[in-house]
Amino acid sequence: MNIEISRAARSWQTKAREFADDYLQPHEVEAELNDGELPEDISARNKKRALELGFASIDVPKAYGGLELPMEEQVAIWEQLGRVTNALSWCFSEAQSWMFDACSEEQIETYVLPMMRGERKDCYAITESGPGSDVSSLEATAELDGNDYVLNGEKWYVTSGNLADFFWFQARMPEENDEALFLVDQGTPGIEITACPLFSHTYAAHHPTYRFDNVRIPRGQRVGRAGDGMAYTRSWFRHERLMIGARSCGAAARLIEDATEFANNRIVDNAPLSEKQSIQIMLADSVTELWASRLMTYEAARANDRGDDLKTQHARCSMVKLYVSEMANRVADHAVQIFGGRGYMRENVAERFYRELRVDRIWEGTSEIQRLIIARSLLKRGLDGM
Ligand SMILES: Cc1cc2nc3c(=O)[nH]c(=O)nc-3n(C[C@H](O)[C@H](O)[C@H](O)COP(=O)(O)OP(=O)(O)OC[C@H]3O[C@@H](n4cnc5c(N)ncnc54)[C@H](O)[C@@H]3O)c2cc1C
């Protein structure tokens, strides 16, 4: 399915597709049957290749040695990486452009640039059990004590907590009537894992619950300036919501390709399954929705590159996240159905995506929260402002 993207985006698409096909995809079943883990030499090889290809620096400003790719090109890369299950594409850390706006030079040197070089890995500690989706009501606190901040609170679902060596920790500062992100090193006294539940997908990255009990960090670990509040967390949300759209498009494309191939080769009633109209309807609906999804995802990326109004972009990223993640879930459901019993086997890509894509309707803001954002934007700015 061709849609018009820039020549540069097409070139990145080819590189990312080769990486996905040659390095990652052949190891999916092995990872699935081994708790998401790959042998160390394979993981190291994948990470090395991803760094050589420049994937870890695509969103890093040129002034810091990055590639500073337009969002359209970044979407082209993540779309192809989205074709792979078991999060095998998460083999490199992502230093993102907002970090260079938010962080001090010292923080950039200590945390962000080492991520780009593959030397450090981060994780996000934002969600809490009580406020849940309502991230404006977080209860974790950061209080100044001399030259230190003292952090308290419990954070749930900290993805990659078992692999990362530092946190982005969101807290409110009651004394300053403000909130902010803080950089916190793993192993700082007072940080404890209180639970590590199993989830539906089979990923090497776990999602532990952490308790922060009087965790003392230097004042300089606060990210951003007074009054910045949730601004940087919102930048991260926009980026992630767009990339969830990109990855969901890649996943849906692979599912449609594999289900079509299966339907062409599977003989029922002495004829290929693909000749049955009920199967054709599922394929037709899937491919139509994928086309719509790709158009909107790339358009949202280009809106970012044009520098469209930030609030409009925020709503558009929510529309992409909402529609495209739900589209990919529908496509996965159709694919399982087309594969029949084979589609229920863990070694089948449709079974794995059926489980894995479900969380894209939950994390980075549930579908219901995306609808709230979109509706609020419509009510404030009208259709012309969307
Ligand atoms: C595998 C996994 C990994 C995650 N990784 C991270 C991570 O790395 N860092 C991090 O900080 N968080 C992470 N999360 C947390 C994730 O972002 C939250 O689970 C999500 O935002 C929803 O919050 P909640 O689970 O508390 O659900 P709740 O807020 O309890 O929502 C429950 C239900 O109520 C609905 N609902 C809630 N509020 C409203 C409303 N106002 N109007 C209508 N419906 C509403 C929701 O849509 C949902 O259907 C992860 C979650 C999962 C499952």
Side-chain angles (χ1 to χ4, degrees), residues 124-128 131-133 156-159 199 201 207 359 362-366 368-369 372:
Y124 285 77
I126 297 170
T127 305
E128 296 171 7
S133 296
W156 280 39
Y157 314 106
V158 181
T159 295
F199 290 80
H201 52 219
H207 317 282
V359 78
I362 296 171
W363 59 17
E364 310 304 340
T366 63
E368 291 70 31
I369 296 302
L372 284 182

Side-chain angles (χ1 to χ4, degrees), residues 11 72 110 149 179 193 197 206-207 250 281 316:
S11 160
E72 183 186 19
T110 312
Y149 273 105
E179 52 191 309
I193 294 183
H206 302 161
H207 317 282
I281 290 169
R316 286 185 190 160

Side-chain angles (χ1 to χ4, degrees), residues 133-291:
S133 296
D134 183 9
V135 284
S136 60
S137 306
L138 294 182
E139 289 161 4
T141 54
E143 288 176 276
L144 258 183
D145 182 26
N147 252 347
D148 294 338
Y149 273 105
V150 179
L151 310 179
N152 279 291
E154 190 177 72
K155 296 292 185 178
W156 280 39
Y157 314 106
V158 181
T159 295
S160 300
N162 59 322
L163 306 174
D165 64 353
F166 70 94
F167 302 85
W168 301 93
F169 182 90
Q170 181 88 36
R172 62 190 181 84
M173 293 160 291
E175 291 158 351
E176 301 169 50
N177 196 23
D178 201 357
E179 52 191 309
L181 278 172
F182 296 84
L183 287 159
V184 189
D185 290 307
Q186 282 271 20
T188 307
I191 303 176
E192 186 197 353
I193 294 183
T194 53
C196 196
L198 293 174
F199 290 80
S200 299
H201 52 219
T202 318
Y203 285 8
H206 302 161
H207 317 282
T209 307
Y210 284 91
R211 171 105 218 122
F212 285 64
D213 191 12
N214 288 319
V215 175
R216 191 170 275 276
I217 56 165
R219 194 178 187 150
Q221 303 289 89
R222 174 177 170 172
V223 175
R225 292 161 295 273
D228 284 340
M230 291 286 290
Y232 297 115
T233 298
R234 288 208 178 86
S235 304
W236 150 257
F237 281 153
R238 269 195 302 284
H239 186 98
E240 273 310 288
R241 287 168 187 167
L242 189 56
M243 294 312 161
I244 284 175
R247 290 199 297 270
S248 297
C249 286
R254 178 155 172 223
L255 286 164
I256 294 169
E257 283 164 10
D258 285 18
T260 306
E261 189 189 350
F262 175 78
N264 277 331
N265 292 320
R266 169 88 171 126
I267 304 297
V268 290
D269 295 339
N270 298 317
L273 183 62
S274 55
E275 289 182 10
K276 304 286 179 200
Q277 198 181 36
S278 52
I279 299 295
Q280 291 177 356
I281 290 169
M282 288 194 271
L283 290 173
D285 286 349
S286 298
V287 79
T288 303
E289 287 208 86
L290 174 59
W291 191 39

Side-chain angles (χ1 to χ4, degrees), residues 87-142:
L88 296 186
S89 61
W90 296 0
C91 55
F92 57 96
S93 303
E94 283 181 85
Q96 296 185 357
S97 58
W98 67 266
M99 298 172 185
F100 295 86
D101 297 334
C103 293
S104 66
E105 287 303 320
E106 198 184 334
Q107 291 168 346
I108 290 171
E109 282 298 326
T110 312
Y111 294 96
V112 187
L113 291 177
M115 279 206 287
M116 178 178 87
R117 295 193 295 263
E119 296 159 6
R120 298 200 76 168
K121 186 163 178 59
D122 61 346
C123 60
Y124 285 77
I126 297 170
T127 305
E128 296 171 7
S129 147
S133 296
D134 183 9
V135 284
S136 60
S137 306
L138 294 182
E139 289 161 4
T141 54

